[in-house]
Amino acid sequence: MTTSAYDLPGVATASTVASAELNRRARAVMPGGNSRTAVYSSPYPIYVRYGHGARVVDVDGTERLDFLNNSTALIHGHAHPTIVRAVAEAAARGTSFGMPTETEVAFAEALTARNETFEHVRFTSTGTEAVMMAVQAARAHTLRPKLAKIAGAYHGAYDATAINNDGSGSLITHATLGIPAGVSDNTVIIPFNDPEGALEVLGRHAGELAAILIDPLPWRIGLVPASAEYLAALRGFCDEHDVVLISDEVGSFRIGMGGAIAEFGYAADLTVLGKVIAGGMPIGAVTGRRDVMAVFDPSAGSPPLPHSGSYNANPVSMSAGLASLALLTSDEMDRINGLGADVRDRMRQILADHTPGGWTVNGNGSLFRVLGPNATGADGRPVNAVNLLSRALLRHGVHIGDSGLGCVSTAMEPDDVDAFARAFTAAADDVRACLAQ
Ligand SMILES: Cc1ncc(COP(=O)(O)O)c(C=O)c1O
């Protein structure tokens, strides 16, 4: 049983009555009242009315600093005027067509300019679809069936990657109910940051592997960066056995102008993008080597890998993406990465000063994740300490993920980091009071 902020001493549940009522209605028409597992919170999530800049206002009228930014997608915060204008102007021209648009070409040009390994690009509506298409492209290119993925890493809701994605790090191929054995039989699980262990597993499947899928900064494994030795070992294996190395940067592209491959200094054959590249509109992209991407090319007749989608390269998302990338200058990237480092340092210091210990703060660039100790509540029951902390933060006016995930946006200034630190101190005190000493 977990404790939530709703149970914290002194929390007036009356302050979330409108959310409770919306959740009552939602439960009548959706399983658990929910369409997206990540936004469910017990006993009910807080419903948002609107966001502006660095802040969100809930349906009860409470304003909070938003350090979750839609699971790190909103690198420019909420309703950035330039992005809103781009979206409004694009929508006024028509929201989707059965024809390509100039914005698709312009956005492809802007994105491929960010990293020289992004030779060709193809757009989807979500990161999940982009991962799916990257894996299928690797299979079509190599004519092999198997995919290797890191134990515990999350890559979206696609069958082949929704296997062993719970962050546990177990090497057992455990699939979600609903994923057939044929899929899990073709998914190879490798240990994270263990070059010898990974090579040993990969070696057993060498001739059958189409791709190795990695997230160099996997948030479900605590935003621990992949080591240089590990990345070099995987790259070496791919070169030796003609396997496609896919870097999933749906979350981690935001750490530098050229994404994680540029920051970590390794070469991927395909890179998957999403989230920040469209400033909050639905998006996904597969990019990388021209010869691998050629499997999508329909210009010489039927392509080896036909890829359709009514909303691929949607002009509203493309326009938002152009605006979002233009705002993401190298100065802004440096500025939010500096704020991110400050947030992480301050969290570490506050946790050291205000709690009994056992906490870790990881992250890179503008991203952070807090990991907590195995804790017991004052009533003797086990407690999810990070969940407790995120709930206490809500009480003090800050929103981060229930799992301790968060990020800084370009809408934030040093004052916002100061406000975050004050709330974090108060939340750490609440957590200490709720835990057995
Ligand atoms: C590393 C990674 N890959 C893929 C996805 C899936 O992207 P989307 O939620 O746009 O489907 C996510 C989403 O959080 C992610 O973090």
Side-chain angles (χ1 to χ4, degrees), residues 150 171 190-202 227 229-231 233-234:
I150 291 168
L171 283 182
I190 55 173
F192 184 53
N193 270 351
D194 171 2
E196 289 82 36
L199 290 177
E200 193 274 311
V201 178
L202 291 169
S227 69
E229 300 71 40
Y230 187 65
L231 293 170
L234 298 186

Side-chain angles (χ1 to χ4, degrees), residues 146 148 188-191 195-209 212 233-234 237-238 240-241 243:
K146 290 193 176 175
V188 173
I189 305 298
I190 55 173
E196 289 82 36
L199 290 177
E200 193 274 311
V201 178
L202 291 169
R204 281 189 259 133
H205 302 272
E208 298 169 290
L209 275 169
I212 301 178
L234 298 186
F237 181 89
C238 288
E240 193 181 335
H241 298 280
V243 174

Side-chain angles (χ1 to χ4, degrees), residues 299-321:
S299 62
S302 182
L305 178 54
H307 168 220
S308 293
S310 303
Y311 301 102
N312 289 357
N314 174 264
V316 183
S317 291
M318 298 291 103
S319 300

Side-chain angles (χ1 to χ4, degrees), residues 136-195:
Q136 289 185 9
R139 287 182 170 142
H141 177 73
T142 60
L143 301 178
R144 298 183 197 144
K146 290 193 176 175
L147 167 73
K149 76 173 284 284
I150 291 168
Y154 178 77
H155 298 278
Y158 167 52
D159 272 19
T161 65
I163 289 174
N164 196 331
N165 67 358
D166 63 1
S168 69
S170 146
L171 283 182
I172 295 165
T173 306
H174 51 89
T176 311
L177 269 183
I179 295 178
V183 174
S184 43
D185 288 350
N186 283 301
T187 305
V188 173
I189 305 298
I190 55 173
F192 184 53
N193 270 351
D194 171 2

Side-chain angles (χ1 to χ4, degrees), residues 18-30 33 47:
S19 284
E21 170 55 17
L22 269 180
N23 192 246
R24 190 193 60 72
R25 280 173 52 198
R27 282 174 188 270
V29 285
M30 290 177 274
Y47 287 70

